[in-house]
Amino acid sequence: MSDASSPATATAPDMLELAALLCSRVCHDLISPVGAIVNGLEVLDDDPKPEDREFALDLIRKSAKTASARLQFCRLAFGAAGSSGARIDLGDAQTMARGHIEDGKCSITWNLPRLLLPKNRVKLLLNMLVVAQHTIPRGGMLTVDPIGEGETMSFRIIASGHNARLPQNISELLSGERGPAADAHAIQPYYTRLLAEACGLTVKLAPEGEAITVTAS
């Protein structure tokens, strides 16, 4: 007898659960930098030595910058980001992607032209970047290329880095072969698939030599 709660037969979340899981994902991304800001303020409250004070201020500056970059990215990648049918500048998307992803370990080569695209296509692109980043846990390069042109443009991202790998279950979540586990980590690739479907596209994750490609077509 099959187990109805097993990953292979997991059901998709309803709208309320999807919203809750995406909120949990955003909170997860923000906990670390916000917590570091709190720690820095606590050091300042203790009337520290000059060198400790400077360390705390530097920690607060860097963490506030990180938190701001992540908030801006999440607002576009997961949020409403304008009215229905809105178009978003790929140049703005590039700025947000770099602020969120480039951290000294991971960098982006952005080969897309600067133009306005429908909101869901830009959201799809940013979510594909998150998926691609997960395939190079030790860092590396994400190369973003266009497929086609104009408003029907889709994307290919090549993730190259030491020990690039396919994360467990991500391919299935993107393809719809299984429902997502009920946690905030699995909801992001599931949401990526929903965005792709809204754009009339399919997202595929596959090895290519020593790299991993994420393609929407």
Side-chain angles (χ1 to χ4, degrees):
M1 180 177 179
S2 63
D3 183 357
S5 64
S6 66
T9 57
T11 57
D14 60 26
M15 292 179 64
L16 285 175
E17 187 178 10
L18 175 63
L21 289 171
L22 286 174
C23 287
S24 293
R25 171 59 196 252
V26 172
C27 290
H28 175 271
D29 286 348
L30 293 174
I31 282 174
S32 178
V34 172
I37 293 171
V38 172
N39 292 339
L41 292 172
E42 288 176 348
V43 171
L44 293 179
D45 286 340
D46 291 338
D47 193 20
K49 299 176 183 178
E51 59 270 24
D52 292 336
R53 177 181 176 81
E54 186 55 39
F55 171 80
L57 288 172
D58 187 54
L59 176 64
I60 291 170
R61 291 187 197 100
K62 290 179 179 178
S63 300
K65 183 178 179 180
T66 298
S68 177
R70 291 185 180 180
L71 272 172
Q72 291 181 60
F73 181 90
C74 289
R75 177 179 176 272
L76 181 52
F78 306 128
S83 61
S84 177
R87 283 167 169 70
I88 296 173
D89 192 326
L90 280 179
D92 293 337
Q94 177 185 10
T95 299
M96 293 180 189
R98 291 190 186 280
H100 178 67
I101 290 175
E102 293 189 327
D103 57 2
K105 294 195 309 178
C106 188
S107 58
I108 299 174
T109 297
W110 189 274
N111 296 324
L112 302 181
R114 182 155 194 170
L115 75 162
L116 297 173
L117 284 185
K119 177 177 66 175
N120 279 345
R121 284 189 181 260
V122 179
K123 290 165 69 73
L124 171 61
L125 169 62
L126 295 181
N127 278 271
M128 288 171 63
L129 279 164
V130 174
V131 171
Q133 186 183 23
H134 288 166
T135 70
I136 46 173
R138 298 187 182 181
M141 175 70 72
L142 300 178
T143 301
V144 188
D145 295 311
I147 300 176
E149 57 185 16
E151 291 195 355
T152 59
M153 178 188 297
S154 54
F155 316 102
R156 178 176 61 252
I157 301 172
I158 302 174
S160 55
H162 182 65
N163 198 31
R165 58 178 177 79
L166 291 175
Q168 186 177 13
N169 300 331
I170 296 297
S171 294
E172 290 84 356
L173 288 162
L174 288 171
S175 67
E177 293 178 13
R178 58 187 291 162
D183 62 49
H185 295 287
I187 203 63
Q188 191 274 323
Y190 173 76
Y191 183 61
T192 303
R193 176 164 67 87
L194 294 183
L195 288 169
E197 290 175 352
C199 297
L201 301 171
T202 300
V203 178
K204 295 181 180 179
L205 185 67
E208 187 173 291
E210 296 184 355
I212 304 295
T213 62
V214 186
T215 305
S217 59

